[in-house]
Amino acid sequence: MSVLSILATLIGVANVHAAQEPAWTWTLYADSAPVVLANEIPDTPSLRTTLECEPGSSVARVTLYQAAGMTGMTRLAAGSSTAMTESEAGRGGSAKLALRTDHPVFAAFAADGNLSMTAGETRRTIEIPQAHLAKLRRFAELCSG
């Protein structure tokens, strides 16, 4: 086999692999209560993170999927703001915590899309790309009382 044919084969394999990668995205479900912002593969049960609230409640309930060990006192950090909250184990290895949408940590999260959470030795980060920040800000607006 020539070097060019080997290279063409490798490129073809890489393109097939890239085409099979799932398309994770952030989706805002705001047409009914609760309001939900989900990091998901649309039209599948695949979830990484959900934020949900009752409209006007000012409390975002965060669920982190595949987050075993993310329980107990949890330090939240976004920008230069920090907060402590308690996270608890949810179904199927998930973890749940709550954060007020009027708290400085949530405001910093809405500003840059990065929220880090540390419970004991376990650390998780929620990262919302710039292209999806408007959805996070709309979520906060709908949740705020």
Side-chain angles (χ1 to χ4, degrees):
M1 247 182 170
S2 73
V3 173
L4 288 177
S5 63
I6 292 172
L7 185 57
T9 301
L10 290 174
I11 290 171
V13 169
N15 286 338
V16 168
H17 181 67
Q20 294 173 347
E21 287 294 316
W24 288 92
T25 191
W26 286 93
T27 307
L28 178 63
Y29 298 96
D31 295 337
S32 62
V35 175
V36 177
L37 180 61
N39 187 209
E40 64 177 355
I41 299 174
D43 302 322
T44 73
S46 299
L47 293 166
R48 285 185 182 148
T49 305
T50 58
L51 290 83
E52 64 180 83
C53 73
E54 296 302 321
S57 68
S58 296
V59 176
R61 295 178 309 275
V62 179
T63 302
L64 305 167
Y65 296 89
Q66 299 173 359
M70 191 74 183
T71 58
M73 291 308 297
T74 303
R75 181 181 184 273
L76 307 175
S80 62
S81 299
T82 61
M84 293 298 290
T85 190
E86 188 158 358
S87 56
E88 60 187 42
R91 294 186 322 186
S94 66
K96 298 178 176 243
L97 59 93
L99 176 62
R100 291 197 53 88
T101 58
D102 55 3
H103 192 283
V105 167
F106 199 92
F109 174 43
D112 72 7
N114 292 301
L115 176 66
S116 68
M117 297 153 285
T118 306
E121 298 296 317
T122 305
R123 182 182 165 114
R124 286 286 297 264
T125 301
I126 298 174
E127 296 177 7
I128 300 180
Q130 186 73 26
H132 296 279
L133 280 180
K135 295 172 190 173
L136 176 59
R137 293 175 184 142
R138 180 68 178 145
F139 172 85
E141 180 182 301
L142 293 168
C143 295
S144 296

